[in-house]
Amino acid sequence: MNAKEVHDSAVVIDGLIIAKWNRHLFEDMRRGGLTAANCTVSVWEGFQATVDNIVMVNRLMAESTDLVMPVRTTADIAAAKEANKTGIILGFQNAHAFEDKLGYVEIFKKLGVGIVQMCYNTQNLVGTGCYERDGGLSGFGREVVAEMNRVGIMCDLSHVGAKTSEEVILESKKPVCYSHCLPSGLKEHPRNKSDAELKFIADHGGFVGVTMFAPFLKKGIDSTIDDYAEAIEYVMNIVGEDAIGIGTDFTQGHDKDFFEWLTHDKGYARRLTNFGKIVNPLGIRTVGEFPNLTETLLKRGMSERVVRKVMGENWVRVLRDVWGE
């Protein structure tokens, strides 16, 4: 098969998209041949605002049933592939929406949420993010992990501190993930993961989605799709071909105000970081350019079998386990 045939026939899953919700995004997902994506509906929002976000997303999906469909099971991912649509997995980048109510975990699962990041950059009731001193997983956090295991929501540790991450990995009875991260072996950054952290999560049955967010890449905004492929290869050499996938962190469609909101604690308080100019790697600037990644990985010598795993098959396997199918 040539690269286009491989991409068109593959299950293609993006483990993290936080782009602006609209029909244009859905159209670009179809241009890119995305089978499914973990799409963020909560970062700094509490319970009510997150429910409102889900209502909005449900309405948008209902208005674009020719392009997208909701995903609650891996059977839905297969159905999306068959129907030539993109399956939307609802995900959080912060457990803040659970507030202090353990029962909210199951409520959100019933609303279609399949992946939740435990913390977003800073401290919450569960644990600590990657931009401040890490106090580890709280007692309430241990209850949240157990409840997420029970109802079938995946624990995501991408923006989580090293100590909290380690304790979630050890506490969880189901595989956990870094849905979107890069290796600090290629660039030191608070958001990147060390070789030891990558190996630790893989050794405990976890999963790593590799991001292409330019501030975390070795060459920053001068990066190309080959630099992204290099990061994928670097991570795969540590975690193996079965524990790796894609998690782009696409932010397309958002303006400066959105990034200001993201980079301040709770969305408004102290500044945590400043990304500067954000430009995705040349060759995969938009979701619609996803086929270029399949082509690049093949050109660099990755086998078709492994490319299919990286592009989506591995995500399906680990989600099936976590979702209890």
Side-chain angles (χ1 to χ4, degrees), residues 118 125-127 137-146 168 171:
M118 310 310 289
L125 295 177
V126 167
L137 188 65
S138 70
F140 177 66
R142 295 178 192 281
E143 292 182 292
V144 170
V145 170
V168 172
E171 187 74 20

Side-chain angles (χ1 to χ4, degrees), residues 24-35:
H24 176 73
L25 174 64
F26 297 155
E27 290 169 344
D28 215 29
M29 286 175 166
R30 294 313 312 139
R31 276 189 289 272
L34 255 67
T35 309

Side-chain angles (χ1 to χ4, degrees), residues 2 23 124 204 222 227 236 238-239 284:
N2 62 35
R23 184 173 173 87
N124 64 18
H204 290 80
D222 296 320
D227 296 306
M236 188 164 68
I238 296 171
V239 306
I284 188 163

Side-chain angles (χ1 to χ4, degrees), residues 212 217 219-230 280-285 300:
M212 58 171 201
L217 282 167
K219 296 180 184 175
I221 61 172
D222 296 320
S223 300
T224 70
I225 195 168
D226 275 292
D227 296 306
Y228 182 31
E230 177 192 19
N280 289 332
L282 183 66
I284 188 163
R285 294 258 159 94
R300 291 173 64 94

